[in-house]
């Protein structure tokens, strides 16, 4: 539809065509000059209403602004008295506000095999090679010198190493009672593919997490027979069959039968080494090097777990696992639980980054295996197929997509979480599944440095505020935390 246009002097340019046009609308029954007046009157009415609308909007904004100003000016009962209240934009940022502005840098992997130069120590350039993109995994040869490796192992021996895992954990039924779960609810939680039956791998996963015992499908069939659980002997448990098992039936059976160290999820000894002020210079240097490597704020590294040193004897292993678990609303991070302002029976170690150091070269075995690295897809159900268990590092390490050979001084590091796209911690990277292959000859020494960050940055902020209230030394690089706030373990300062 073409609307009539007016010339600069106000006359209609389509007057010559009026003879061929249909009769004008009712508002144009008058002569043509009155039609122009009608259009202008309509325009004036519209403009009046438009200006009234704009005035109302401005008045509303002024009203909101005035009320907010009054609210800000009203002192809170718990606020310190002050003669002059600064506007919000001029107040010094709190630690919580500051943390919101922190963006966690991530090292770019580019492509598998890509090598980039990194400067971690004075007068030396390290080469960092990308080993995989899922998870984002890197290898840095000669990260530690031979002397540094020797010092770390010696300090660990002086501290004393403890068993990494108890033979059988007790008291698991207390958690079930606390959660008040019915057999039907537990069955549905275990039934990963929701087919109404529990396959061997679904029970195995539950047992390994719950009891710390690494059962094979053959072991599980023996337990079924001993407990007379599988009535139809098809290797599957229906809900009716599952109801016949008590919460601690598996545990009592294992205690009666006895458990060997080779049947544990983890067979090793370990200790923790403090890296703060007053620690051995080598340990402090390693922490600084990790800070440069990860490019993270030093406070986040300082407030993370101490250095863990682990020794695997011949036959030692650690079956495939994730260093960090997924964090749900009902789950708390272990390191921020005191600042979470909530009580929950579920906790997980929120380890954003794992840095693994090889302190010696192993004679045989001991590789770090990543079973599903750079897989096109991740499917938990497919990890155990036809009695081939990709999680089993005693039998099936050779079937892993990637294996890193332990070489003295080499470090590998990877991200256990994805980015949330806004510069913070996102979802768990399921491809970070990894384990320690069985040591066939000699002894294996490694050290782990985990960077703990809560995916909920508000909880991380409250945690750092809580820790910042603890006494700190002015000469210390970052925040210093009391051992009670840091971990349930007691760490001796070396």
């Amino acid at each position: 539809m073409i609307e009539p246009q007016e010339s600069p002097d106000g006359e209609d340019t389509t007057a010559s065509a009026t003879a061929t046009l249909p009769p004008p609308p009712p508002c144009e029954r008058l002569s043509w000059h009155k039609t122009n007046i009608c259009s202008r009157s309509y325009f004036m009415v519209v403009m009046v209403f438009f200006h009234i609308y704009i005035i109302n909007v401005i008045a509303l904004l002024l009203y909101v602004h005035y009320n907010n100003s009054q609210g800000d000016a009203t002192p809170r009962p718990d606020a310190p008295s002050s003669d002059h209240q600064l506007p919000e934009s001029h107040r010094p940022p709190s630690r919580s506000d500051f943390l919101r502005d922190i963006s966690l840098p991530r090292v770019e992997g580019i492509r598998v095999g890509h090598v980039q130069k990194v400067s971690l120590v004075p007068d030396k350039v390290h080469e960092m090679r990308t080993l995989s993109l899922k998870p984002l995994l890197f290898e840095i040869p000669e990260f530690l010198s031979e002397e540094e490796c020797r010092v770390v192992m010696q300090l660990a021996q002086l501290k004393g190493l403890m068993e990494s895992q108890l033979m059988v954990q007790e008291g698991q039924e207390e958690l079930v009672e606390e959660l008040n779960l019915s057999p039907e609810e537990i069955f549905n939680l275990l039934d990963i593919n929701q087919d109404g039956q529990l396959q061997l791998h679904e029970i195995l996963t539950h047992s390994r997490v719950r009891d710390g015992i690494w059962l094979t499908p053959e072991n599980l069939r023996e337990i079924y027979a001993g407990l007379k659980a599988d009535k139809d002997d098809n290797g599957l448990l229906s809900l009716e069959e599952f109801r016949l098992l008590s919460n601690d039936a598996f545990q009592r059976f294992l205690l009666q039968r006895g458990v060997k160290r080779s049947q544990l999820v983890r067979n090793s000894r370990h200790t923790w080494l403090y890296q703060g002020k007053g620690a051995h210079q080598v340990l402090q240097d390693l922490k600084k090097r990790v800070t440069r490597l990860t490019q993270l704020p030093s406070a986040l590294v300082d407030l993370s777990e101490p250095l863990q040193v682990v020794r695997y004897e011949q036959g030692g292993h650690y079956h495939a696992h994730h260093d960090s678990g997924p964090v749900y609303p009902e789950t708390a991070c272990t390191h921020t639980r005191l600042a979470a302002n909530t009580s929950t029976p579920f906790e997980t170690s929120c380890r954003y980054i794992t840095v693994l150091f090889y302190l010696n070269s192993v004679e045989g075995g001991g590789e770090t295996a990543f079973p599903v690295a750079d897989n096109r897809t991740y499917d938990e159900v497919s990890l155990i197929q036809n009695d081939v268990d990709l999680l089993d590092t005693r039998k099936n390490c050779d079937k892993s997509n990637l294996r890193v050979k332990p070489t003295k001084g080499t470090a590998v590091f990877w991200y256990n979480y994805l980015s949330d796209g806004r510069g913070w911690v996102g979802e768990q990277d399921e491809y970070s599944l990894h384990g320690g292959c069985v040591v066939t000859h000699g002894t294996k020494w490694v050290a782990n440095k985990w960077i703990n960050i809560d995916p909920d940055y508000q909880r991380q902020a409250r945690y750092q505020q809580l820790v910042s209230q603890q006494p700190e030394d002015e000469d210390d690089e970052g925040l210093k935390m009391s051992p009670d706030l840091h971990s349930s373990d007691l760490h001796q300062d070396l």
Side-chain angles (χ1 to χ4, degrees):
M1 179 177 179
I2 303 177
E3 298 181 356
Q5 298 180 356
E6 292 183 359
S7 60
D9 59 358
E11 295 182 355
D12 198 323
T13 58
T14 61
S16 61
T18 55
T20 61
L21 292 175
C27 69
E28 297 181 347
R29 290 179 184 175
L30 302 177
S31 60
W32 190 252
H33 70 279
K34 290 187 177 180
T35 300
N36 200 17
I37 295 174
C38 178
S39 299
R40 289 181 177 178
S41 299
Y42 177 77
F43 174 77
M44 292 297 295
V45 171
V46 171
M47 291 303 296
V48 168
F49 278 104
F50 177 76
H51 281 84
I52 292 175
Y53 172 78
I54 294 296
I55 292 172
N56 285 337
V57 171
I58 294 174
L60 178 62
L61 292 176
L62 290 174
Y63 174 80
V64 172
H65 176 73
Y66 176 79
N67 280 350
N68 285 345
S69 300
Q70 288 292 98
D72 290 342
T74 303
R76 295 175 298 171
D78 59 340
S81 59
S82 175
D83 296 332
H84 179 65
Q85 294 287 337
L86 289 175
E88 189 70 27
S89 59
H90 295 280
R91 293 177 186 168
S94 67
R95 191 167 186 83
S96 178
D97 295 333
F98 174 74
L99 190 62
R100 293 184 187 183
D101 298 332
I102 292 180
S103 180
L104 302 176
R106 289 174 71 93
V107 179
E108 293 292 335
I110 311 299
R111 64 183 180 278
V112 175
H114 175 74
V115 177
Q116 48 190 308
K117 309 288 186 180
V118 290
S119 179
L120 305 175
V121 295
D123 303 324
K124 184 174 183 179
V125 175
H126 287 82
E127 290 189 349
M128 182 171 64
R129 185 163 68 97
T130 304
L131 297 184
S132 77
L133 299 178
K134 298 190 306 183
L136 194 51
L137 170 66
F138 304 91
E139 179 183 46
I140 310 99
E142 300 180 0
F143 188 90
L144 293 84
S145 66
E146 287 195 16
E147 176 63 15
E148 288 174 328
C149 291
R150 184 192 66 79
V151 168
V152 173
M153 289 189 292
Q154 186 177 25
L155 291 174
Q157 289 174 318
L158 290 172
K159 175 76 176 292
L161 289 86
M162 66 188 78
E163 295 289 345
S164 297
Q165 183 182 326
L166 299 176
M167 294 296 284
V168 178
Q169 301 175 11
E170 298 182 6
Q172 294 289 345
E173 64 277 1
E174 295 178 1
L175 177 59
V176 177
E177 292 176 0
E178 181 180 349
L179 296 176
N180 195 25
L181 297 177
S182 66
E184 290 78 10
E185 290 172 322
I186 298 176
F187 183 91
N188 289 329
L189 289 173
L190 297 178
D191 188 11
I192 299 174
N193 57 7
Q194 294 295 299
D195 63 350
Q197 293 181 315
L198 296 183
Q199 279 79 18
L200 291 174
H201 73 271
E202 291 171 331
I203 291 289
L204 288 175
T205 302
H206 169 64
S207 174
R208 291 165 182 175
V209 173
R210 185 170 180 264
D211 300 320
I213 307 300
W214 192 266
L215 299 176
T216 64
E218 295 80 8
N219 297 148
L220 196 54
R221 293 189 185 97
E222 293 175 9
I223 295 176
Y224 282 177
L227 296 176
K228 298 180 180 180
D230 188 9
K231 300 296 184 182
D232 50 11
D233 198 27
N234 64 350
L236 305 174
L237 288 185
S238 64
L239 177 57
E240 290 70 23
E241 292 170 331
F242 183 75
R243 281 199 185 101
L244 301 177
L245 297 175
S246 62
N247 291 334
D248 58 348
F250 276 62
Q251 195 175 64
R252 286 189 288 103
F253 183 87
L254 292 171
L255 286 171
Q256 293 171 0
R257 183 176 124 169
V259 179
K260 300 178 181 178
R261 292 200 56 81
S262 60
Q263 292 180 291
L264 298 177
V265 171
R266 182 179 188 181
N267 181 11
S268 63
R269 299 176 66 85
H270 76 276
T271 192
W272 301 88
L273 299 179
Y274 170 70
Q275 290 184 279
K277 185 173 181 180
H280 194 285
Q281 190 60 46
V282 168
L283 299 177
Q284 295 191 57
D285 290 344
L286 285 181
K287 186 180 69 172
K288 295 176 184 177
R289 210 171 302 166
V290 167
T291 303
R292 294 192 190 100
L293 173 67
T294 60
Q295 303 173 22
L296 293 173
S298 59
L300 290 176
V301 181
D302 292 340
L303 294 178
S304 295
E305 295 170 73
L307 186 72
Q308 185 194 51
V309 182
V310 188
R311 184 181 69 198
Y312 296 88
E313 303 290 348
Q314 185 168 324
H317 67 279
Y318 195 174
H319 289 305
H321 60 284
H322 290 98
D323 281 351
S324 254
V327 179
Y328 303 111
E330 62 274 10
T331 306
C333 293
T334 301
H335 76 286
T336 58
R337 62 184 172 85
L338 293 178
N341 295 331
T342 183
S343 59
T344 172
F346 299 109
E347 290 185 11
T348 188
S349 300
C350 298
R351 294 163 170 168
Y352 179 59
I353 289 178
T354 297
V355 185
L356 173 65
F357 313 105
Y358 296 113
L359 303 178
N360 74 323
S361 298
V362 184
E363 297 177 31
E367 301 93 341
T368 304
F370 294 82
V372 294
D374 284 328
N375 251 17
R376 296 181 63 181
T377 59
Y378 177 86
D379 183 8
E380 185 178 359
V381 176
S382 65
L383 294 174
I384 306 176
Q385 292 289 335
N386 301 322
D387 288 353
V388 175
D389 188 354
L390 293 178
L391 304 176
D392 194 331
T393 57
R394 290 182 59 85
K395 294 182 178 180
N396 300 313
C397 257
D398 59 329
K399 297 180 177 61
S400 294
N401 288 356
L402 174 65
R403 286 180 293 165
V404 182
K405 184 178 180 180
T407 303
K408 180 187 290 188
T410 295
V412 291
F413 89 94
W414 62 89
Y415 294 87
N416 295 303
Y417 290 92
L418 304 171
S419 171
D420 68 347
R422 296 172 295 175
W424 198 251
V425 182
E427 296 179 352
Q428 178 196 35
D429 189 343
E430 295 175 322
Y431 294 90
S432 64
L433 184 73
H434 66 284
C437 299
V438 62
V439 176
T440 56
H441 294 92
T443 303
K444 172 185 174 183
W445 284 87
V446 297
N448 295 297
K449 180 62 180 177
W450 287 295
I451 312 300
N452 304 108
I453 304 178
D454 196 320
D456 184 337
Y457 67 76
Q458 293 282 11
R459 287 198 305 230
Q460 182 73 26
R462 288 196 298 269
Y463 165 69
Q464 293 198 212
Q465 282 181 318
L466 176 64
V467 174
S468 66
Q469 296 170 5
Q470 304 300 313
E472 59 179 308
D473 195 309
E474 296 180 357
D475 296 330
D476 203 2
E477 290 182 57
L479 297 175
K480 189 174 180 181
M481 184 176 59
S482 68
D484 291 338
L485 289 175
H486 196 284
S487 172
S488 58
D489 294 328
L490 296 177
H491 308 293
Q492 178 183 346
D493 300 347
L494 290 178

